[in-house]
């Protein structure tokens, strides 16, 4: 009986070995079928994830670059040369951003004085001169000009029959770093052009250079010259 049982078990073991050798293992077959069915999906999903990460990295780099460009000054300024009286000359010179030529600074200061003290019958021109003052002044100078216009309203002066013409004697000269001295003559006439009065004045203007960073500021104040303090008085002869 014992010998018969051993003989009976040996063929079964042989069958198991033959099934393994013949490739009929159910686990391996199921794994191969699973890999064939879902392996492509897994690879595609991994590829899409990689592509998404790459796209995200490119987007982050692009946004960072745009922010850096926005924070940099992109306006290139071109300065036109002026003569000794602040009038525009024919020669043109390029000025790198942040470096306003001295002649342009002097011309801007002279223009501010003209806009400040001129009284004209042309109300629209008077408004434009006041607007130019606003675009070229900052800090304490704004308070000085406000106090002046409260006491010397140019529109009211023109109604009384007086007009004031401002003649700048020469380009403003530097007296210290950031401060300039300018002299001018004020000629008071009536509406018929008859001269009524003539006086000489001088002023000390302190400036600050703030290069424009947008087109609106460029149009109003291309040189970026701002008068931050202003004091003036009549020259006693």
């Amino acid at each position: 009986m014992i010998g018969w049982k051993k003989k009976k078990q040996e063929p079964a073991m042989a069958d198991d070995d033959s099934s393994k050798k013949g490739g009929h293992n159910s686990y391996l077959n199921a794994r191969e079928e699973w890999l064939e069915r879902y392996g492509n999906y897994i690879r595609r999903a991994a590829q899409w994830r990689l592509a998404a990460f790459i796209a995200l990295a490119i987007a982050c780099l692009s946004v960072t670059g745009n922010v850096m460009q926005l924070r940099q000054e992109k306006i290139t300024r071109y300065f036109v040369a002026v003569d000794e009286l602040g009038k525009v000359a024919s020669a043109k010179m390029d000025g790198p951003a942040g470096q306003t030529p001295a002649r342009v600074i002097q011309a801007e200061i002279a223009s501010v004085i003209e806009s400040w003290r001129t009284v004209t019958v042309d109300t629209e021109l008077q408004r434009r001169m006041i607007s130019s003052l606003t675009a070229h002044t900052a800090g304490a100078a704004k308070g000085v000009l406000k106090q002046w216009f409260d006491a010397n309203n140019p529109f009211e002066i023109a109604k009384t029959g007086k007009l004031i013409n401002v003649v700048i004697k020469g380009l403003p000269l530097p007296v210290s770093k950031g401060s300039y001295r300018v002299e001018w003559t004020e000629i008071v006439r009536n509406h018929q052009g008859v001269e009524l009065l003539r006086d000489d004045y001088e002023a000390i203007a302190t400036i600050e250079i703030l290069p424009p960073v947008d087109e609106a500021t460029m149009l109003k104040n291309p040189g970026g010259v701002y008068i931050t303090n202003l004091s003036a008085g009549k020259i006693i002869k």
Side-chain angles (χ1 to χ4, degrees):
M1 293 294 291
I2 296 174
W4 179 82
K5 288 182 179 179
K6 287 183 178 180
K7 290 181 180 179
K8 198 68 175 177
Q9 290 175 353
E10 288 176 357
M13 294 177 63
D15 291 342
D16 291 340
D17 293 339
S18 63
S19 64
K20 292 180 181 179
K21 292 179 180 179
H24 298 291
N25 186 287
S26 58
Y27 171 76
L28 294 178
N29 292 340
R31 183 176 179 81
E32 290 178 359
E33 182 177 355
W34 187 88
L35 289 174
E36 289 178 359
R37 180 176 301 179
Y38 298 103
N40 290 334
Y41 298 146
I42 295 174
R43 284 194 296 270
R44 290 174 185 172
Q47 291 172 355
W48 276 112
R49 282 195 294 269
L50 179 60
F53 286 133
I54 294 174
L56 181 61
I58 294 174
C60 292
L61 291 175
S62 177
V63 171
T64 303
N66 291 336
V67 171
M68 293 177 64
Q69 288 182 349
L70 289 174
R71 298 181 67 177
Q72 294 176 353
E73 183 177 346
K74 297 188 291 184
I75 296 178
T76 301
R77 300 181 293 163
Y78 294 90
F79 296 102
V80 179
V82 295
D83 59 19
E84 288 76 7
L85 298 178
K87 303 302 181 182
V88 175
S90 58
K92 186 181 77 171
M93 54 186 173
D94 296 346
Q99 297 181 2
T100 303
R103 286 292 181 88
V104 173
I105 294 174
Q106 293 169 308
E108 293 283 13
I109 295 173
S111 178
V112 166
I113 297 300
E114 289 182 352
S115 299
W116 173 26
R117 307 287 288 217
T118 297
V119 175
T120 176
V121 71
D122 188 338
T123 56
E124 181 59 30
L125 176 59
Q126 192 77 63
R127 289 192 184 93
R128 276 186 283 176
M129 287 190 292
I130 295 175
S131 177
S132 177
L133 278 176
T134 302
H136 287 82
T137 54
K142 285 188 176 294
V144 172
L145 293 178
K146 182 180 183 305
Q147 186 177 6
W148 166 266
F149 283 116
D150 287 343
N152 301 274
N153 189 317
F155 300 102
E156 296 300 326
I157 293 175
K159 289 179 182 179
T160 64
K162 293 181 180 180
L163 305 176
I164 301 177
N165 182 36
V166 175
V167 180
I168 304 296
K169 293 184 177 182
L171 285 177
L173 298 177
V175 294
S176 64
K177 185 178 179 180
S179 295
Y180 291 78
R181 181 175 181 271
V182 56
E183 294 184 4
W184 71 93
T185 299
E186 292 185 10
I187 304 172
V188 181
R189 292 187 172 91
N190 60 22
H191 285 192
Q192 288 71 41
V194 178
E195 183 175 324
L196 305 176
L197 187 63
R198 181 185 291 253
D199 288 310
D200 294 326
Y201 293 84
E202 66 176 357
I204 300 296
T206 303
I207 67 156
E208 183 177 358
I209 305 298
L210 298 174
V213 294
D214 54 65
E215 292 184 0
T217 307
M218 170 71 80
L219 293 174
K220 294 178 182 179
N221 189 351
V225 180
Y226 292 87
I227 295 180
T228 58
N229 207 347
L230 185 63
S231 60
K234 184 184 295 186
I235 297 176
I236 305 299
K237 297 180 180 180

